[in-house]
Amino acid sequence: MSSPSIAIIIYSMYGHIAIMAESVKKGIEEAGGTAEIWQIPETLPQEVLTKMHAPPKPDYPIIDAAKLATFDAFIMGIPTRIRQLPRTMEGAFRSSSLCLTVLINIETNQVFWDSTGSLWQTGALVGKYAGAFVSSAGPGGGQEMTINSALSTLTHHGIVGGSPWGAGTFAGKMGERQPSALELQMAVIQGKQFYGVVSRVKF
Ligand SMILES: Cc1cc2nc3c(=O)[nH]c(=O)nc-3n(C[C@H](O)[C@H](O)[C@H](O)COP(=O)(O)O)c2cc1C
């Protein structure tokens, strides 16, 4: 079995997440794997970045949809913005007006882009492993909320039908779609893992 290809995908304005990403990479390497660090394209104009005292971006390649789908797994570095995912990252994942297309593409596993240039390829990402790490200003000033709110956004924009947070399926707008074989397989795996945990407890 070959080792999984892993992308560490970051958005970092002041460099904290970039430094964390290097440590995550180190950890993956110490565990015997390899990983590449990629970054989300900036959407803020330079004028705004200057006013925010943002230093130049770290020197990582910019991720795009086609590249993202080539990895077996990805872990995202997310700086906290008002206890949430930064709008720059959310914008990169957005595909809001194209829900129906999203559903169709999950069936066909077809590569999908939205009109805003989203890096999200719905369907192509189903079944891939994802994780996240965060940074924030205060002593945990919203880190837990950042992870929490990021999950909802990411799940709605592509990480569906099975994710590290549990098995899942799309029903379709009118309930016309049924769980795919892959989604059912993930539910079986979750059932096994769940039993593996609870069976260790003496009731
Ligand atoms: C617009 C804005 C909103 C922020 N909101 C929060 C927040 O709600 N809680 C918090 O702890 N930190 C907040 N921060 C601080 C950022 O989380 C911090 O600057 C960031 O984690 C640094 O990561 P980076 O250097 O990789 O950009 C905010 C920063 C900005 C610019």
Side-chain angles (χ1 to χ4, degrees):
M1 211 170 77
S2 61
S3 63
S5 58
I6 301 172
I8 303 170
I9 298 167
I10 64 164
Y11 173 72
S12 186
M13 185 175 279
Y14 301 108
H16 300 79
I17 282 290
I19 290 170
M20 296 266 293
E22 290 290 349
S23 290
V24 171
K25 185 170 188 278
K26 187 165 176 265
I28 291 168
E29 286 166 358
E30 282 178 6
T34 55
E36 297 172 12
I37 303 177
W38 293 74
Q39 60 183 328
I40 300 269
E42 183 58 85
T43 55
L44 293 173
Q46 186 53 50
E47 188 189 355
V48 173
L49 292 170
T50 303
K51 284 185 175 160
M52 292 176 82
H53 307 287
K57 288 279 165 208
D59 190 22
Y60 298 119
I62 305 287
I63 194 80
D64 63 24
K67 188 69 194 174
L68 180 64
T70 65
F71 291 98
D72 298 319
F74 47 92
I75 178 164
M76 270 172 279
I78 307 172
T80 295
R81 290 287 180 279
I82 318 176
R83 291 168 288 163
Q84 293 177 37
L85 187 75
R87 291 290 84 87
T88 302
M89 292 188 93
E90 191 183 344
F93 302 140
R94 185 167 295 137
S95 56
S96 52
S97 62
L98 295 156
C99 289
L100 198 58
T101 315
V102 168
L103 293 182
I104 293 165
N105 283 350
I106 283 166
E107 291 294 356
T108 59
N109 217 25
Q110 187 187 335
V111 169
F112 171 73
W113 286 79
D114 77 14
S115 55
T116 63
S118 162
L119 61 72
W120 219 240
Q121 288 178 287
T122 306
L125 296 175
V126 171
K128 305 217 168 182
Y129 279 87
F133 55 98
V134 296
S135 70
S136 70
Q143 291 193 2
E144 76 295 346
M145 287 310 297
T146 305
I147 288 283
N148 210 9
S149 63
L151 292 190
S152 175
T153 299
L154 301 181
T155 303
H156 276 93
H157 296 310
I159 305 176
V160 291
S163 71
W165 311 295
T169 187
F170 260 147
K173 256 185 159 177
M174 306 295 289
E176 71 279 13
R177 184 180 182 275
Q178 293 300 320
S180 69
L182 179 61
E183 290 165 351
L184 292 175
Q185 194 188 344
M186 289 179 183
V188 171
I189 291 168
Q190 185 171 8
K192 275 187 192 163
Q193 287 181 334
F194 181 74
Y195 183 73
V197 173
V198 297
S199 62
R200 278 185 256 146
V201 180
K202 209 173 173 72
F203 290 102

